[in-house]
Amino acid sequence: MSVIRFLARPMLASSFVVAGLDKLRNADDTAKQLSPVLRRASESLPFKADEKTLARVIGGAQLGAGTLLGLGKLSRFAATVLVVTSALNSYVEWRSADISTKEGRIARKARLLKNISLTGGVLLASVDTEGRPSIAWRAEHLAADAKKVTGKQIKRADKAVRKAVDNAVGA
């Protein structure tokens, strides 16, 4: 792992770890804030789940994924989970912000920009292959290499068959 990744991942993850802990500690407040979104989510689930439980799940997901990202373990998966939770938090915070005053509108804008920036950061982390080729790239190049090798083997086999036919005709 490079020094940049070693430093940047925990820095990026710290915000999510703290937010996840806060959501777990204050599940009632989180459920209240996320209520419109969680109500719809709980209705679409195939099992019965209350809003407080879903708020804890979201907080736990943020805490766990933030910790994994900070440690560099399963970092692409963790970052993908954080993209989803960050987008959800951005929407909810933007929707529930107080915009009755000028200061409230300025604070809403600042939080939205912060949340968009964090979402962008974890989105980049979710596709970071640490300088190694992705599985898709490897598969594509493996197929191309196999095609080349197979083509060469077919040409050799064709040449050998023609030579054998010429020898048989000449004999």
Side-chain angles (χ1 to χ4, degrees), residues 9 65 68-69 72-80 125-126 128 130:
R9 282 186 180 151
L68 286 172
L69 179 64
K73 305 292 182 194
L74 300 172
S75 55
R76 291 177 72 189
F77 170 74
T80 302
S126 73
D128 180 26
E130 298 182 24

Side-chain angles (χ1 to χ4, degrees), residues 39-164:
R39 192 175 311 117
R40 282 189 235 137
S42 65
E43 291 170 359
S44 64
L45 291 174
F47 53 88
K48 182 77 173 137
D50 65 334
E51 294 172 4
K52 190 173 179 180
T53 302
L54 289 175
R56 285 184 178 137
V57 167
I58 291 170
Q62 270 190 309
L63 175 62
T67 302
L68 286 172
L69 179 64
L71 294 173
K73 305 292 182 194
L74 300 172
S75 55
R76 291 177 72 189
F77 170 74
T80 302
V81 170
L82 292 175
V83 166
V84 173
T85 62
S86 179
L88 174 66
N89 287 337
S90 298
Y91 172 73
V92 169
E93 283 185 21
W94 178 80
R95 190 169 181 258
S96 64
D98 177 27
I99 55 171
S100 60
T101 64
K102 184 176 182 179
E103 292 81 20
R105 288 189 295 275
I106 291 170
R108 178 187 186 191
K109 182 179 174 183
R111 276 195 308 271
L112 179 64
L113 290 174
K114 175 199 68 127
N115 287 335
I116 288 172
S117 299
L118 284 172
T119 303
V122 291
L123 190 59
L124 281 173
S126 73
V127 297
D128 180 26
T129 60
E130 298 182 24
R132 294 185 304 254
S134 67
I135 292 173
W137 185 91
R138 291 176 195 180
E140 182 181 316
H141 283 77
L142 181 64
D145 291 346
K147 186 177 178 181
K148 285 180 188 177
V149 169
T150 304
K152 287 178 183 177
Q153 289 175 344
I154 288 174
K155 285 181 183 178
R156 280 193 214 125
D158 183 52
K159 198 176 198 180
V161 168
R162 288 178 190 267
K163 188 175 181 182

